[in-house]
Amino acid sequence: MNTIREDFEERIEENELLNCMRCGFCLPACPTYVETKSEVHSPRGRIALMKAVRDGEIKEYEEVEHSLNVCLGCRACEPACPAGVNYGHMLEEARAIFEEHKNHSFKEKTVRKTVFHKLFPNQKRMEQATSLLSFYQKSGLQKTTRKLGFMKILPKHMQQMERALPKVSQSKQPEEAIFKAEGETKATVAMFRGCLMDTMFRETNQSTIKLLNKAGCDVVVPDTQNCCGALHGHSGEKQGALELAKQNIEAFEQVDCDYIITNAGGCGAFLHDYDYLLKNDAKWSERAESFVSKIIDFSSILVELGFMDHHLDVPSQVVTYQDSCHLRNVLGVSEEPRRLIQAINGADYVEMEKADSCCGSAGIYNITQPEMSMQILDHKMEHARATQARTIITSNPGCLIQMKLGIEREGQSDVIRAIHLADFLLEAL
């Protein structure tokens, strides 16, 4: 078996590491550097650490791995970088290498196997888990648990997160796989439904389909698709991510469509990186490139098809928008959601300062790195408060839960709400 250094030499390209000019343009874009002012927690600092591992200058890896784990993986450094360094790809490869060389305890192995191999890749198990959450919320068990003080055994931010979880819908997934456009068909699209989006946020998926139908899209939902693999890729479970990527490519190859639609920034960005993930696989690389060429966020196609021409109206309210990091930094989508929001009568849009910076969610980062996550979130809520918005809109389930958590931490859940862009647009219809 290779050593960690040998794997770094084989799998992380030296030219990519050397592309970093140490210019520092990434520093103000990096949330963890902004919070700590430590080069160890900056993109160029982490690249320097990766290079030192590759060159054999570092023999003890604990600090390197800690630095990589503290990284949010928001990839805000990439659009800020004048040299076009693909930091996100190196980060995930380095995490995968460390994960492959790690000796987990029995408990850790069990948890990782349950989450990465048993739960997320299995939609039926995801639905069962969501049903348990729904039962907990609606049976009275949630109220009883809180009343008896059982939640107090959890850390404070986890207690708040339990309160911020969305109310899970009991609505069933429609059996039909094709949803016809209203009026003239302008495009045929295949929808990536996601694992969390199709269970905990199923109503948002249904909202998205209705919006696409209204815009003139026939929507096909392939039944054999699976989890996008983002959680696996970000957590060093590269093999699991590869397997899920192949399943999804195969599923969408069965559909003759103009676009593949996503409504979750994190999923969309990882799907967009399938060509990189499979670049060394002769059987799959071209198929991955074809798949990636069709990926588009739902807001982009709504703008393209002139959705703003519909009459859109909500009760008068101040609204603001929190960017999904991956939607903005990987897919390059930032103006389209704002254009859609600003087309709504009654929505007084106020831009949030640093709306393009991470909210601290980053997949399961708010669980694995709670202190940094809550520090970032508290600063995010300062900027949200300054807008005086009563509605905070976002385009990713993790961001949505994190903003709900921020509202809960502020004690403002009675006057401020967080909502997915698709649900807000459907309200406006």
Side-chain angles (χ1 to χ4, degrees), residues 134-394:
S134 177
F135 175 78
Y136 169 73
Q137 291 175 334
K138 296 176 181 178
S139 65
L141 184 60
Q142 184 177 49
K143 290 181 180 178
T144 302
T145 301
R146 291 175 180 175
K147 188 175 181 180
L148 294 176
F150 289 158
M151 297 306 299
K152 291 180 181 178
I153 65 174
L154 296 175
K156 187 176 180 181
H157 82 283
M158 292 296 290
Q159 297 176 39
Q160 294 165 333
M161 189 177 292
E162 184 267 348
R163 292 180 179 275
L165 287 173
K167 299 298 180 186
V168 177
S169 170
Q170 293 282 57
S171 64
K172 293 184 178 180
Q173 176 68 24
E175 292 183 5
E176 59 182 314
I178 301 176
F179 302 84
K180 301 296 291 183
E182 292 186 22
E184 177 192 357
T185 299
K186 300 177 182 177
T188 299
V189 303
M191 183 168 169
F192 183 79
R193 65 190 179 202
C195 47
L196 274 181
M197 290 303 297
D198 203 45
T199 48
M200 192 176 292
F201 296 94
R202 180 167 288 169
E203 286 188 352
T204 302
N205 268 4
Q206 293 171 355
S207 296
T208 305
I209 291 171
K210 290 174 184 175
L211 295 172
L212 291 167
N213 289 159
K214 194 76 173 178
C217 295
D218 286 345
V219 182
V220 183
V221 185
D223 188 50
T224 55
Q225 61 179 292
N226 211 321
C227 167
C228 69
L231 185 62
H232 298 71
H234 302 331
S235 304
E237 296 279 343
K238 186 176 181 180
Q239 190 56 44
L242 285 166
E243 291 170 5
L244 289 167
K246 291 173 183 178
Q247 288 179 36
N248 285 322
I249 291 169
E250 205 161 39
F252 282 86
E253 284 177 337
Q254 309 307 311
V255 180
D256 183 14
C257 63
D258 303 302
Y259 300 102
I260 297 171
I261 301 294
T262 69
N263 62 358
C267 295
F270 201 75
L271 296 171
H272 182 268
D273 273 354
Y274 276 5
D275 55 351
Y276 174 81
L277 191 65
L278 292 161
K279 68 176 183 177
N280 295 322
D281 190 320
K283 180 182 176 182
W284 289 91
S285 58
E286 285 189 18
R287 296 166 72 177
E289 288 174 8
S290 177
F291 175 88
V292 168
S293 70
K294 293 184 177 183
I295 296 293
I296 187 171
D297 185 68
F298 85 102
S299 65
S300 296
I301 194 168
L302 290 183
V303 169
E304 182 179 319
L305 296 179
F307 184 80
M308 295 89 73
D309 295 337
H310 288 93
H311 180 72
L312 303 170
D313 186 79
V314 294
S316 181
Q317 58 194 285
V318 177
V319 305
T320 193
Y321 179 72
Q322 165 61 25
D323 285 283
S324 155
C325 293
H326 288 124
L327 183 61
R328 184 182 186 108
N329 299 326
V330 181
L331 293 178
V333 176
S334 60
E335 291 305 313
E336 293 90 330
R338 289 169 169 82
R339 287 180 63 186
L340 289 164
I341 295 167
Q342 290 167 351
I344 300 173
N345 298 316
D348 180 10
Y349 181 75
V350 178
E351 182 71 16
M352 187 195 310
E353 184 182 350
K354 296 187 177 180
D356 59 346
S357 69
C358 188
C359 63
S361 171
I364 57 172
Y365 187 92
N366 51 12
I367 298 173
T368 60
Q369 301 287 336
E371 185 176 347
M372 181 64 75
S373 176
M374 294 304 101
Q375 193 172 321
I376 291 170
L377 177 59
D378 288 343
H379 289 155
K380 176 63 65 178
M381 292 310 298
E382 289 175 15
H383 298 310
R385 274 201 313 273
T387 67
Q388 298 186 326
R390 290 296 173 260
T391 300
I392 302 173
I393 303 166
T394 190

Side-chain angles (χ1 to χ4, degrees), residues 105-123:
S105 67
F106 176 77
K107 179 181 177 182
E108 288 172 323
K109 285 180 181 177
T110 302
V111 170
R112 292 185 75 90
K113 185 175 182 180
T114 300
V115 172
F116 295 120
H117 302 284
K118 301 293 186 184
L119 181 59
F120 279 91
N122 189 306
Q123 196 67 5

Side-chain angles (χ1 to χ4, degrees), residues 29-46:
C30 176
T32 54
Y33 177 79
V34 169
E35 295 294 333
T36 65
K37 296 298 186 288
S38 168
E39 281 284 358
V40 172
H41 297 310
S42 73
R44 70 178 182 183
R46 292 181 177 111

